[in-house]
Amino acid sequence: SPDAGNLDDAVNRHHRSLPKPPKTIVDYEEAEFWLRSSQDTLKQKLGQKRIEKKAKNTIFFLGDGMSVATVV
């Protein structure tokens, strides 16, 4: 049918507009990935402007023997 051709064209245009997937697969189990990721985050955070205002309405949680699952 004529509408099927238009739909195929629309789908093809949509797929061409999507970002290309990375050429390599990131291995999250490799220590090098986490080292690079943490270093990049640290550099980004150190480059940000510090907040000089005084904190208000601060909540401090203190727990002994609590796991992450208990807190979340």
Side-chain angles (χ1 to χ4, degrees):
S1 73
D3 292 331
N6 291 337
L7 180 60
D8 287 340
D9 290 339
V11 168
N12 288 334
R13 280 193 308 275
H14 174 71
H15 283 268
R16 283 193 302 268
S17 70
L18 294 174
K20 301 285 185 227
K23 294 186 183 203
T24 59
I25 297 174
V26 176
D27 190 356
Y28 294 105
E29 294 183 10
E30 293 293 324
E32 184 64 29
F33 167 79
W34 295 107
L35 180 62
R36 259 194 329 271
S37 177
S38 62
Q39 290 294 322
D40 292 344
T41 302
L42 182 60
K43 287 177 188 174
Q44 176 193 5
K45 295 295 181 184
L46 288 173
Q48 291 178 345
K49 183 179 177 186
R50 292 185 58 176
I51 300 173
E52 300 291 335
K53 295 180 184 178
K54 193 177 234 183
K56 298 188 295 186
N57 302 327
T58 303
I59 300 173
F60 181 74
F61 289 98
L62 176 64
D64 184 24
M66 298 170 63
S67 67
V68 173
T70 304
V71 177
V72 178

